mmCIF file with all atom_site columns, all heavy atoms in Angstrom:
data_model
loop_
_atom_site.group_PDB
_atom_site.id
_atom_site.type_symbol
_atom_site.label_atom_id
_atom_site.label_alt_id
_atom_site.label_comp_id
_atom_site.label_asym_id
_atom_site.label_entity_id
_atom_site.label_seq_id
_atom_site.pdbx_PDB_ins_code
_atom_site.Cartn_x
_atom_site.Cartn_y
_atom_site.Cartn_z
_atom_site.occupancy
_atom_site.B_iso_or_equiv
_atom_site.pdbx_formal_charge
_atom_site.auth_seq_id
_atom_site.auth_comp_id
_atom_site.auth_asym_id
_atom_site.auth_atom_id
_atom_site.pdbx_PDB_model_num
ATOM 1   N N   . GLU Y 1 1  ? 110.437 16.891 -17.666 1.00 88.00 ? 1  GLU Y N   1
ATOM 2   C CA  . GLU Y 1 1  ? 111.580 17.640 -18.201 1.00 88.00 ? 1  GLU Y CA  1
ATOM 3   C C   . GLU Y 1 1  ? 112.540 18.048 -17.091 1.00 88.00 ? 1  GLU Y C   1
ATOM 4   O O   . GLU Y 1 1  ? 113.764 17.992 -17.264 1.00 88.00 ? 1  GLU Y O   1
ATOM 5   C CB  . GLU Y 1 1  ? 111.087 18.871 -18.972 1.00 88.00 ? 1  GLU Y CB  1
ATOM 6   C CG  . GLU Y 1 1  ? 110.360 18.522 -20.258 1.00 88.00 ? 1  GLU Y CG  1
ATOM 7   C CD  . GLU Y 1 1  ? 110.137 19.728 -21.154 1.00 88.00 ? 1  GLU Y CD  1
ATOM 8   O OE1 . GLU Y 1 1  ? 111.027 20.595 -21.225 1.00 88.00 ? 1  GLU Y OE1 1
ATOM 9   O OE2 . GLU Y 1 1  ? 109.067 19.811 -21.781 1.00 88.00 ? 1  GLU Y OE2 1
ATOM 10  N N   . VAL Y 1 2  ? 111.999 18.474 -15.954 1.00 88.00 ? 2  VAL Y N   1
ATOM 11  C CA  . VAL Y 1 2  ? 112.855 18.840 -14.822 1.00 88.00 ? 2  VAL Y CA  1
ATOM 12  C C   . VAL Y 1 2  ? 113.650 17.627 -14.350 1.00 88.00 ? 2  VAL Y C   1
ATOM 13  O O   . VAL Y 1 2  ? 114.846 17.720 -14.052 1.00 88.00 ? 2  VAL Y O   1
ATOM 14  C CB  . VAL Y 1 2  ? 112.006 19.422 -13.667 1.00 88.00 ? 2  VAL Y CB  1
ATOM 15  C CG1 . VAL Y 1 2  ? 112.840 19.547 -12.393 1.00 88.00 ? 2  VAL Y CG1 1
ATOM 16  C CG2 . VAL Y 1 2  ? 111.459 20.791 -14.054 1.00 88.00 ? 2  VAL Y CG2 1
ATOM 17  N N   . ALA Y 1 3  ? 113.001 16.469 -14.312 1.00 88.00 ? 3  ALA Y N   1
ATOM 18  C CA  . ALA Y 1 3  ? 113.681 15.247 -13.869 1.00 88.00 ? 3  ALA Y CA  1
ATOM 19  C C   . ALA Y 1 3  ? 114.849 14.871 -14.781 1.00 88.00 ? 3  ALA Y C   1
ATOM 20  O O   . ALA Y 1 3  ? 115.831 14.263 -14.343 1.00 88.00 ? 3  ALA Y O   1
ATOM 21  C CB  . ALA Y 1 3  ? 112.680 14.091 -13.801 1.00 88.00 ? 3  ALA Y CB  1
ATOM 22  N N   . LEU Y 1 4  ? 114.751 15.255 -16.062 1.00 86.00 ? 4  LEU Y N   1
ATOM 23  C CA  . LEU Y 1 4  ? 115.809 14.936 -17.021 1.00 86.00 ? 4  LEU Y CA  1
ATOM 24  C C   . LEU Y 1 4  ? 117.031 15.848 -16.894 1.00 86.00 ? 4  LEU Y C   1
ATOM 25  O O   . LEU Y 1 4  ? 118.059 15.582 -17.510 1.00 86.00 ? 4  LEU Y O   1
ATOM 26  C CB  . LEU Y 1 4  ? 115.265 15.028 -18.449 1.00 86.00 ? 4  LEU Y CB  1
ATOM 27  C CG  . LEU Y 1 4  ? 114.261 13.966 -18.881 1.00 86.00 ? 4  LEU Y CG  1
ATOM 28  C CD1 . LEU Y 1 4  ? 113.668 14.309 -20.242 1.00 86.00 ? 4  LEU Y CD1 1
ATOM 29  C CD2 . LEU Y 1 4  ? 114.918 12.593 -18.918 1.00 86.00 ? 4  LEU Y CD2 1
ATOM 30  N N   . CYS Y 1 5  ? 116.917 16.913 -16.111 1.00 87.00 ? 5  CYS Y N   1
ATOM 31  C CA  . CYS Y 1 5  ? 117.995 17.911 -16.058 1.00 87.00 ? 5  CYS Y CA  1
ATOM 32  C C   . CYS Y 1 5  ? 119.208 17.451 -15.256 1.00 87.00 ? 5  CYS Y C   1
ATOM 33  O O   . CYS Y 1 5  ? 120.285 18.037 -15.389 1.00 87.00 ? 5  CYS Y O   1
ATOM 34  C CB  . CYS Y 1 5  ? 117.468 19.228 -15.480 1.00 87.00 ? 5  CYS Y CB  1
ATOM 35  S SG  . CYS Y 1 5  ? 116.397 20.119 -16.628 1.00 87.00 ? 5  CYS Y SG  1
ATOM 36  N N   . GLY Y 1 6  ? 119.059 16.407 -14.413 1.00 83.00 ? 6  GLY Y N   1
ATOM 37  C CA  . GLY Y 1 6  ? 120.201 15.862 -13.691 1.00 83.00 ? 6  GLY Y CA  1
ATOM 38  C C   . GLY Y 1 6  ? 120.962 16.926 -12.926 1.00 83.00 ? 6  GLY Y C   1
ATOM 39  O O   . GLY Y 1 6  ? 120.404 17.639 -12.096 1.00 83.00 ? 6  GLY Y O   1
ATOM 40  N N   . ASN Y 1 7  ? 122.253 17.032 -13.231 1.00 84.00 ? 7  ASN Y N   1
ATOM 41  C CA  . ASN Y 1 7  ? 123.113 18.017 -12.559 1.00 84.00 ? 7  ASN Y CA  1
ATOM 42  C C   . ASN Y 1 7  ? 123.281 19.302 -13.354 1.00 84.00 ? 7  ASN Y C   1
ATOM 43  O O   . ASN Y 1 7  ? 124.209 20.077 -13.092 1.00 84.00 ? 7  ASN Y O   1
ATOM 44  C CB  . ASN Y 1 7  ? 124.499 17.405 -12.285 1.00 84.00 ? 7  ASN Y CB  1
ATOM 45  C CG  . ASN Y 1 7  ? 124.444 16.324 -11.227 1.00 84.00 ? 7  ASN Y CG  1
ATOM 46  O OD1 . ASN Y 1 7  ? 123.750 16.461 -10.230 1.00 84.00 ? 7  ASN Y OD1 1
ATOM 47  N ND2 . ASN Y 1 7  ? 125.180 15.244 -11.453 1.00 84.00 ? 7  ASN Y ND2 1
ATOM 48  N N   . ALA Y 1 8  ? 122.403 19.523 -14.325 1.00 90.00 ? 8  ALA Y N   1
ATOM 49  C CA  . ALA Y 1 8  ? 122.550 20.714 -15.181 1.00 90.00 ? 8  ALA Y CA  1
ATOM 50  C C   . ALA Y 1 8  ? 122.588 21.995 -14.370 1.00 90.00 ? 8  ALA Y C   1
ATOM 51  O O   . ALA Y 1 8  ? 123.352 22.917 -14.678 1.00 90.00 ? 8  ALA Y O   1
ATOM 52  C CB  . ALA Y 1 8  ? 121.416 20.770 -16.193 1.00 90.00 ? 8  ALA Y CB  1
ATOM 53  N N   . TRP Y 1 9  ? 121.769 22.072 -13.319 1.00 90.00 ? 9  TRP Y N   1
ATOM 54  C CA  . TRP Y 1 9  ? 121.737 23.297 -12.514 1.00 90.00 ? 9  TRP Y CA  1
ATOM 55  C C   . TRP Y 1 9  ? 123.129 23.643 -12.002 1.00 90.00 ? 9  TRP Y C   1
ATOM 56  O O   . TRP Y 1 9  ? 123.616 24.766 -12.174 1.00 90.00 ? 9  TRP Y O   1
ATOM 57  C CB  . TRP Y 1 9  ? 120.790 23.130 -11.313 1.00 90.00 ? 9  TRP Y CB  1
ATOM 58  C CG  . TRP Y 1 9  ? 119.631 22.228 -11.530 1.00 90.00 ? 9  TRP Y CG  1
ATOM 59  C CD1 . TRP Y 1 9  ? 119.444 20.983 -10.996 1.00 90.00 ? 9  TRP Y CD1 1
ATOM 60  C CD2 . TRP Y 1 9  ? 118.479 22.484 -12.346 1.00 90.00 ? 9  TRP Y CD2 1
ATOM 61  N NE1 . TRP Y 1 9  ? 118.260 20.439 -11.426 1.00 90.00 ? 9  TRP Y NE1 1
ATOM 62  C CE2 . TRP Y 1 9  ? 117.640 21.335 -12.255 1.00 90.00 ? 9  TRP Y CE2 1
ATOM 63  C CE3 . TRP Y 1 9  ? 118.073 23.550 -13.135 1.00 90.00 ? 9  TRP Y CE3 1
ATOM 64  C CZ2 . TRP Y 1 9  ? 116.422 21.237 -12.917 1.00 90.00 ? 9  TRP Y CZ2 1
ATOM 65  C CZ3 . TRP Y 1 9  ? 116.865 23.454 -13.800 1.00 90.00 ? 9  TRP Y CZ3 1
ATOM 66  C CH2 . TRP Y 1 9  ? 116.063 22.316 -13.692 1.00 90.00 ? 9  TRP Y CH2 1
ATOM 67  N N   . LYS Y 1 10 ? 123.760 22.657 -11.369 1.00 90.00 ? 10 LYS Y N   1
ATOM 68  C CA  . LYS Y 1 10 ? 125.072 22.892 -10.756 1.00 90.00 ? 10 LYS Y CA  1
ATOM 69  C C   . LYS Y 1 10 ? 126.130 23.185 -11.814 1.00 90.00 ? 10 LYS Y C   1
ATOM 70  O O   . LYS Y 1 10 ? 126.965 24.090 -11.666 1.00 90.00 ? 10 LYS Y O   1
ATOM 71  C CB  . LYS Y 1 10 ? 125.472 21.658 -9.943  1.00 90.00 ? 10 LYS Y CB  1
ATOM 72  C CG  . LYS Y 1 10 ? 126.742 21.833 -9.127  1.00 90.00 ? 10 LYS Y CG  1
ATOM 73  C CD  . LYS Y 1 10 ? 127.107 20.561 -8.378  1.00 90.00 ? 10 LYS Y CD  1
ATOM 74  C CE  . LYS Y 1 10 ? 126.070 20.233 -7.311  1.00 90.00 ? 10 LYS Y CE  1
ATOM 75  N NZ  . LYS Y 1 10 ? 126.491 19.066 -6.487  1.00 90.00 ? 10 LYS Y NZ  1
ATOM 76  N N   . LEU Y 1 11 ? 126.104 22.437 -12.913 1.00 94.00 ? 11 LEU Y N   1
ATOM 77  C CA  . LEU Y 1 11 ? 127.112 22.607 -13.960 1.00 94.00 ? 11 LEU Y CA  1
ATOM 78  C C   . LEU Y 1 11 ? 127.051 23.992 -14.601 1.00 94.00 ? 11 LEU Y C   1
ATOM 79  O O   . LEU Y 1 11 ? 128.079 24.554 -15.000 1.00 94.00 ? 11 LEU Y O   1
ATOM 80  C CB  . LEU Y 1 11 ? 126.924 21.543 -15.049 1.00 94.00 ? 11 LEU Y CB  1
ATOM 81  C CG  . LEU Y 1 11 ? 127.224 20.097 -14.642 1.00 94.00 ? 11 LEU Y CG  1
ATOM 82  C CD1 . LEU Y 1 11 ? 126.809 19.144 -15.745 1.00 94.00 ? 11 LEU Y CD1 1
ATOM 83  C CD2 . LEU Y 1 11 ? 128.711 19.935 -14.320 1.00 94.00 ? 11 LEU Y CD2 1
ATOM 84  N N   . LEU Y 1 12 ? 125.847 24.558 -14.715 1.00 96.00 ? 12 LEU Y N   1
ATOM 85  C CA  . LEU Y 1 12 ? 125.674 25.833 -15.418 1.00 96.00 ? 12 LEU Y CA  1
ATOM 86  C C   . LEU Y 1 12 ? 125.672 27.048 -14.489 1.00 96.00 ? 12 LEU Y C   1
ATOM 87  O O   . LEU Y 1 12 ? 125.601 28.184 -14.957 1.00 96.00 ? 12 LEU Y O   1
ATOM 88  C CB  . LEU Y 1 12 ? 124.366 25.799 -16.219 1.00 96.00 ? 12 LEU Y CB  1
ATOM 89  C CG  . LEU Y 1 12 ? 124.331 24.780 -17.366 1.00 96.00 ? 12 LEU Y CG  1
ATOM 90  C CD1 . LEU Y 1 12 ? 122.910 24.635 -17.907 1.00 96.00 ? 12 LEU Y CD1 1
ATOM 91  C CD2 . LEU Y 1 12 ? 125.287 25.192 -18.489 1.00 96.00 ? 12 LEU Y CD2 1
ATOM 92  N N   . GLY Y 1 13 ? 125.749 26.804 -13.172 1.00 96.00 ? 13 GLY Y N   1
ATOM 93  C CA  . GLY Y 1 13 ? 125.776 27.923 -12.230 1.00 96.00 ? 13 GLY Y CA  1
ATOM 94  C C   . GLY Y 1 13 ? 124.401 28.368 -11.766 1.00 96.00 ? 13 GLY Y C   1
ATOM 95  O O   . GLY Y 1 13 ? 124.202 29.539 -11.436 1.00 96.00 ? 13 GLY Y O   1
ATOM 96  N N   . LEU Y 1 14 ? 123.456 27.429 -11.730 1.00 96.00 ? 14 LEU Y N   1
ATOM 97  C CA  . LEU Y 1 14 ? 122.072 27.775 -11.405 1.00 96.00 ? 14 LEU Y CA  1
ATOM 98  C C   . LEU Y 1 14 ? 121.652 27.245 -10.043 1.00 96.00 ? 14 LEU Y C   1
ATOM 99  O O   . LEU Y 1 14 ? 122.166 26.237 -9.551  1.00 96.00 ? 14 LEU Y O   1
ATOM 100 C CB  . LEU Y 1 14 ? 121.129 27.183 -12.452 1.00 96.00 ? 14 LEU Y CB  1
ATOM 101 C CG  . LEU Y 1 14 ? 121.309 27.662 -13.884 1.00 96.00 ? 14 LEU Y CG  1
ATOM 102 C CD1 . LEU Y 1 14 ? 120.496 26.780 -14.836 1.00 96.00 ? 14 LEU Y CD1 1
ATOM 103 C CD2 . LEU Y 1 14 ? 120.903 29.114 -14.037 1.00 96.00 ? 14 LEU Y CD2 1
ATOM 104 N N   . ASN Y 1 15 ? 120.683 27.932 -9.453  1.00 94.00 ? 15 ASN Y N   1
ATOM 105 C CA  . ASN Y 1 15 ? 119.996 27.431 -8.274  1.00 94.00 ? 15 ASN Y CA  1
ATOM 106 C C   . ASN Y 1 15 ? 118.975 26.383 -8.712  1.00 94.00 ? 15 ASN Y C   1
ATOM 107 O O   . ASN Y 1 15 ? 118.713 26.221 -9.899  1.00 94.00 ? 15 ASN Y O   1
ATOM 108 C CB  . ASN Y 1 15 ? 119.298 28.588 -7.564  1.00 94.00 ? 15 ASN Y CB  1
ATOM 109 C CG  . ASN Y 1 15 ? 119.186 28.367 -6.075  1.00 94.00 ? 15 ASN Y CG  1
ATOM 110 O OD1 . ASN Y 1 15 ? 119.294 27.247 -5.593  1.00 94.00 ? 15 ASN Y OD1 1
ATOM 111 N ND2 . ASN Y 1 15 ? 118.957 29.434 -5.331  1.00 94.00 ? 15 ASN Y ND2 1
ATOM 112 N N   . LYS Y 1 16 ? 118.355 25.709 -7.769  1.00 89.00 ? 16 LYS Y N   1
ATOM 113 C CA  . LYS Y 1 16 ? 117.268 24.786 -8.102  1.00 89.00 ? 16 LYS Y CA  1
ATOM 114 C C   . LYS Y 1 16 ? 116.042 25.580 -8.580  1.00 89.00 ? 16 LYS Y C   1
ATOM 115 O O   . LYS Y 1 16 ? 115.838 26.718 -8.144  1.00 89.00 ? 16 LYS Y O   1
ATOM 116 C CB  . LYS Y 1 16 ? 116.902 23.932 -6.891  1.00 89.00 ? 16 LYS Y CB  1
ATOM 117 C CG  . LYS Y 1 16 ? 117.932 22.852 -6.571  1.00 89.00 ? 16 LYS Y CG  1
ATOM 118 C CD  . LYS Y 1 16 ? 117.991 21.810 -7.681  1.00 89.00 ? 16 LYS Y CD  1
ATOM 119 C CE  . LYS Y 1 16 ? 119.003 20.707 -7.404  1.00 89.00 ? 16 LYS Y CE  1
ATOM 120 N NZ  . LYS Y 1 16 ? 118.559 19.790 -6.354  1.00 89.00 ? 16 LYS Y NZ  1
ATOM 121 N N   . PRO Y 1 17 ? 115.221 24.997 -9.433  1.00 92.00 ? 17 PRO Y N   1
ATOM 122 C CA  . PRO Y 1 17 ? 114.123 25.756 -10.042 1.00 92.00 ? 17 PRO Y CA  1
ATOM 123 C C   . PRO Y 1 17 ? 112.908 25.913 -9.135  1.00 92.00 ? 17 PRO Y C   1
ATOM 124 O O   . PRO Y 1 17 ? 112.633 25.068 -8.281  1.00 92.00 ? 17 PRO Y O   1
ATOM 125 C CB  . PRO Y 1 17 ? 113.743 24.900 -11.257 1.00 92.00 ? 17 PRO Y CB  1
ATOM 126 C CG  . PRO Y 1 17 ? 114.096 23.500 -10.830 1.00 92.00 ? 17 PRO Y CG  1
ATOM 127 C CD  . PRO Y 1 17 ? 115.315 23.630 -9.975  1.00 92.00 ? 17 PRO Y CD  1
ATOM 128 N N   . ASP Y 1 18 ? 112.187 27.019 -9.355  1.00 93.00 ? 18 ASP Y N   1
ATOM 129 C CA  . ASP Y 1 18 ? 110.839 27.183 -8.831  1.00 93.00 ? 18 ASP Y CA  1
ATOM 130 C C   . ASP Y 1 18 ? 109.880 26.912 -9.984  1.00 93.00 ? 18 ASP Y C   1
ATOM 131 O O   . ASP Y 1 18 ? 110.046 27.472 -11.072 1.00 93.00 ? 18 ASP Y O   1
ATOM 132 C CB  . ASP Y 1 18 ? 110.615 28.611 -8.312  1.00 93.00 ? 18 ASP Y CB  1
ATOM 133 C CG  . ASP Y 1 18 ? 111.405 28.885 -7.043  1.00 93.00 ? 18 ASP Y CG  1
ATOM 134 O OD1 . ASP Y 1 18 ? 111.498 27.963 -6.198  1.00 93.00 ? 18 ASP Y OD1 1
ATOM 135 O OD2 . ASP Y 1 18 ? 111.928 29.999 -6.895  1.00 93.00 ? 18 ASP Y OD2 1
ATOM 136 N N   . ILE Y 1 19 ? 108.887 26.077 -9.748  1.00 94.00 ? 19 ILE Y N   1
ATOM 137 C CA  . ILE Y 1 19 ? 107.942 25.716 -10.800 1.00 94.00 ? 19 ILE Y CA  1
ATOM 138 C C   . ILE Y 1 19 ? 106.543 26.124 -10.366 1.00 94.00 ? 19 ILE Y C   1
ATOM 139 O O   . ILE Y 1 19 ? 106.085 25.737 -9.288  1.00 94.00 ? 19 ILE Y O   1
ATOM 140 C CB  . ILE Y 1 19 ? 107.975 24.204 -11.083 1.00 94.00 ? 19 ILE Y CB  1
ATOM 141 C CG1 . ILE Y 1 19 ? 109.398 23.769 -11.453 1.00 94.00 ? 19 ILE Y CG1 1
ATOM 142 C CG2 . ILE Y 1 19 ? 107.003 23.839 -12.200 1.00 94.00 ? 19 ILE Y CG2 1
ATOM 143 C CD1 . ILE Y 1 19 ? 109.604 22.273 -11.455 1.00 94.00 ? 19 ILE Y CD1 1
ATOM 144 N N   . ILE Y 1 20 ? 105.892 26.929 -11.188 1.00 93.00 ? 20 ILE Y N   1
ATOM 145 C CA  . ILE Y 1 20 ? 104.518 27.354 -10.912 1.00 93.00 ? 20 ILE Y CA  1
ATOM 146 C C   . ILE Y 1 20 ? 103.651 26.936 -12.090 1.00 93.00 ? 20 ILE Y C   1
ATOM 147 O O   . ILE Y 1 20 ? 103.959 27.264 -13.246 1.00 93.00 ? 20 ILE Y O   1
ATOM 148 C CB  . ILE Y 1 20 ? 104.431 28.869 -10.700 1.00 93.00 ? 20 ILE Y CB  1
ATOM 149 C CG1 . ILE Y 1 20 ? 105.281 29.285 -9.497  1.00 93.00 ? 20 ILE Y CG1 1
ATOM 150 C CG2 . ILE Y 1 20 ? 102.982 29.301 -10.499 1.00 93.00 ? 20 ILE Y CG2 1
ATOM 151 C CD1 . ILE Y 1 20 ? 105.370 30.779 -9.281  1.00 93.00 ? 20 ILE Y CD1 1
ATOM 152 N N   . CYS Y 1 21 ? 102.585 26.212 -11.802 1.00 92.00 ? 21 CYS Y N   1
ATOM 153 C CA  . CYS Y 1 21 ? 101.674 25.754 -12.849 1.00 92.00 ? 21 CYS Y CA  1
ATOM 154 C C   . CYS Y 1 21 ? 100.445 26.648 -12.906 1.00 92.00 ? 21 CYS Y C   1
ATOM 155 O O   . CYS Y 1 21 ? 99.978  27.151 -11.884 1.00 92.00 ? 21 CYS Y O   1
ATOM 156 C CB  . CYS Y 1 21 ? 101.267 24.309 -12.606 1.00 92.00 ? 21 CYS Y CB  1
ATOM 157 S SG  . CYS Y 1 21 ? 102.662 23.155 -12.712 1.00 92.00 ? 21 CYS Y SG  1
ATOM 158 N N   . GLU Y 1 22 ? 99.947  26.841 -14.085 1.00 90.00 ? 22 GLU Y N   1
ATOM 159 C CA  . GLU Y 1 22 ? 98.821  27.754 -14.333 1.00 90.00 ? 22 GLU Y CA  1
ATOM 160 C C   . GLU Y 1 22 ? 97.889  27.087 -15.336 1.00 90.00 ? 22 GLU Y C   1
ATOM 161 O O   . GLU Y 1 22 ? 98.342  26.431 -16.272 1.00 90.00 ? 22 GLU Y O   1
ATOM 162 C CB  . GLU Y 1 22 ? 99.355  29.077 -14.903 1.00 90.00 ? 22 GLU Y CB  1
ATOM 163 C CG  . GLU Y 1 22 ? 98.314  30.123 -15.177 1.00 90.00 ? 22 GLU Y CG  1
ATOM 164 C CD  . GLU Y 1 22 ? 97.862  30.868 -13.933 1.00 90.00 ? 22 GLU Y CD  1
ATOM 165 O OE1 . GLU Y 1 22 ? 98.714  31.261 -13.111 1.00 90.00 ? 22 GLU Y OE1 1
ATOM 166 O OE2 . GLU Y 1 22 ? 96.645  31.058 -13.802 1.00 90.00 ? 22 GLU Y OE2 1
ATOM 167 N N   . THR Y 1 23 ? 96.590  27.276 -15.134 1.00 88.00 ? 23 THR Y N   1
ATOM 168 C CA  . THR Y 1 23 ? 95.607  26.785 -16.087 1.00 88.00 ? 23 THR Y CA  1
ATOM 169 C C   . THR Y 1 23 ? 95.035  27.964 -16.864 1.00 88.00 ? 23 THR Y C   1
ATOM 170 O O   . THR Y 1 23 ? 94.498  28.903 -16.268 1.00 88.00 ? 23 THR Y O   1
ATOM 171 C CB  . THR Y 1 23 ? 94.459  26.038 -15.381 1.00 88.00 ? 23 THR Y CB  1
ATOM 172 O OG1 . THR Y 1 23 ? 95.008  24.941 -14.641 1.00 88.00 ? 23 THR Y OG1 1
ATOM 173 C CG2 . THR Y 1 23 ? 93.465  25.490 -16.392 1.00 88.00 ? 23 THR Y CG2 1
ATOM 174 N N   . LEU Y 1 24 ? 95.180  27.936 -18.172 1.00 84.00 ? 24 LEU Y N   1
ATOM 175 C CA  . LEU Y 1 24 ? 94.638  28.992 -19.014 1.00 84.00 ? 24 LEU Y CA  1
ATOM 176 C C   . LEU Y 1 24 ? 93.114  28.882 -19.062 1.00 84.00 ? 24 LEU Y C   1
ATOM 177 O O   . LEU Y 1 24 ? 92.550  27.825 -18.751 1.00 84.00 ? 24 LEU Y O   1
ATOM 178 C CB  . LEU Y 1 24 ? 95.215  28.893 -20.423 1.00 84.00 ? 24 LEU Y CB  1
ATOM 179 C CG  . LEU Y 1 24 ? 96.739  29.042 -20.555 1.00 84.00 ? 24 LEU Y CG  1
ATOM 180 C CD1 . LEU Y 1 24 ? 97.159  28.867 -22.000 1.00 84.00 ? 24 LEU Y CD1 1
ATOM 181 C CD2 . LEU Y 1 24 ? 97.221  30.371 -20.018 1.00 84.00 ? 24 LEU Y CD2 1
ATOM 182 N N   . PRO Y 1 25 ? 92.407  29.958 -19.462 1.00 82.00 ? 25 PRO Y N   1
ATOM 183 C CA  . PRO Y 1 25 ? 90.940  29.903 -19.517 1.00 82.00 ? 25 PRO Y CA  1
ATOM 184 C C   . PRO Y 1 25 ? 90.387  28.781 -20.395 1.00 82.00 ? 25 PRO Y C   1
ATOM 185 O O   . PRO Y 1 25 ? 89.267  28.346 -20.203 1.00 82.00 ? 25 PRO Y O   1
ATOM 186 C CB  . PRO Y 1 25 ? 90.572  31.286 -20.074 1.00 82.00 ? 25 PRO Y CB  1
ATOM 187 C CG  . PRO Y 1 25 ? 91.671  32.176 -19.592 1.00 82.00 ? 25 PRO Y CG  1
ATOM 188 C CD  . PRO Y 1 25 ? 92.911  31.334 -19.683 1.00 82.00 ? 25 PRO Y CD  1
ATOM 189 N N   . ASN Y 1 26 ? 91.193  28.301 -21.354 1.00 78.00 ? 26 ASN Y N   1
ATOM 190 C CA  . ASN Y 1 26 ? 90.728  27.189 -22.203 1.00 78.00 ? 26 ASN Y CA  1
ATOM 191 C C   . ASN Y 1 26 ? 91.128  25.830 -21.627 1.00 78.00 ? 26 ASN Y C   1
ATOM 192 O O   . ASN Y 1 26 ? 91.055  24.808 -22.312 1.00 78.00 ? 26 ASN Y O   1
ATOM 193 C CB  . ASN Y 1 26 ? 91.303  27.347 -23.614 1.00 78.00 ? 26 ASN Y CB  1
ATOM 194 C CG  . ASN Y 1 26 ? 92.821  27.387 -23.611 1.00 78.00 ? 26 ASN Y CG  1
ATOM 195 O OD1 . ASN Y 1 26 ? 93.469  27.183 -22.584 1.00 78.00 ? 26 ASN Y OD1 1
ATOM 196 N ND2 . ASN Y 1 26 ? 93.414  27.649 -24.757 1.00 78.00 ? 26 ASN Y ND2 1
ATOM 197 N N   . ASN Y 1 27 ? 91.551  25.852 -20.357 1.00 83.00 ? 27 ASN Y N   1
ATOM 198 C CA  . ASN Y 1 27 ? 91.957  24.645 -19.612 1.00 83.00 ? 27 ASN Y CA  1
ATOM 199 C C   . ASN Y 1 27 ? 93.285  24.051 -20.047 1.00 83.00 ? 27 ASN Y C   1
ATOM 200 O O   . ASN Y 1 27 ? 93.653  22.969 -19.589 1.00 83.00 ? 27 ASN Y O   1
ATOM 201 C CB  . ASN Y 1 27 ? 90.868  23.559 -19.656 1.00 83.00 ? 27 ASN Y CB  1
ATOM 202 C CG  . ASN Y 1 27 ? 89.658  23.937 -18.821 1.00 83.00 ? 27 ASN Y CG  1
ATOM 203 O OD1 . ASN Y 1 27 ? 89.806  24.521 -17.747 1.00 83.00 ? 27 ASN Y OD1 1
ATOM 204 N ND2 . ASN Y 1 27 ? 88.476  23.633 -19.320 1.00 83.00 ? 27 ASN Y ND2 1
ATOM 205 N N   . GLU Y 1 28 ? 94.029  24.750 -20.917 1.00 85.00 ? 28 GLU Y N   1
ATOM 206 C CA  . GLU Y 1 28 ? 95.381  24.287 -21.234 1.00 85.00 ? 28 GLU Y CA  1
ATOM 207 C C   . GLU Y 1 28 ? 96.302  24.573 -20.049 1.00 85.00 ? 28 GLU Y C   1
ATOM 208 O O   . GLU Y 1 28 ? 96.120  25.537 -19.316 1.00 85.00 ? 28 GLU Y O   1
ATOM 209 C CB  . GLU Y 1 28 ? 95.909  25.000 -22.488 1.00 85.00 ? 28 GLU Y CB  1
ATOM 210 C CG  . GLU Y 1 28 ? 95.297  24.491 -23.767 1.00 85.00 ? 28 GLU Y CG  1
ATOM 211 C CD  . GLU Y 1 28 ? 96.045  24.984 -24.998 1.00 85.00 ? 28 GLU Y CD  1
ATOM 212 O OE1 . GLU Y 1 28 ? 97.233  25.343 -24.879 1.00 85.00 ? 28 GLU Y OE1 1
ATOM 213 O OE2 . GLU Y 1 28 ? 95.441  25.019 -26.071 1.00 85.00 ? 28 GLU Y OE2 1
#
């Protein structure tokens, strides 16, 4: 999904994203 964003960050006035992944207790 991040790869699909293209230049959306710049067009909308955003910085580049920070992405943090987490595993829930049920492994989701």
Side-chain angles (χ1 to χ4, degrees):
E1 292 192 37
V2 169
L4 291 172
C5 287
N7 291 319
W9 329 108
K10 187 182 294 186
L11 292 172
L12 295 169
L14 298 169
N15 210 341
K16 286 294 180 73
D18 290 322
I19 303 167
I20 299 174
C21 296
E22 181 79 44
T23 301
L24 299 178
N26 58 6
N27 289 322
E28 285 193 23

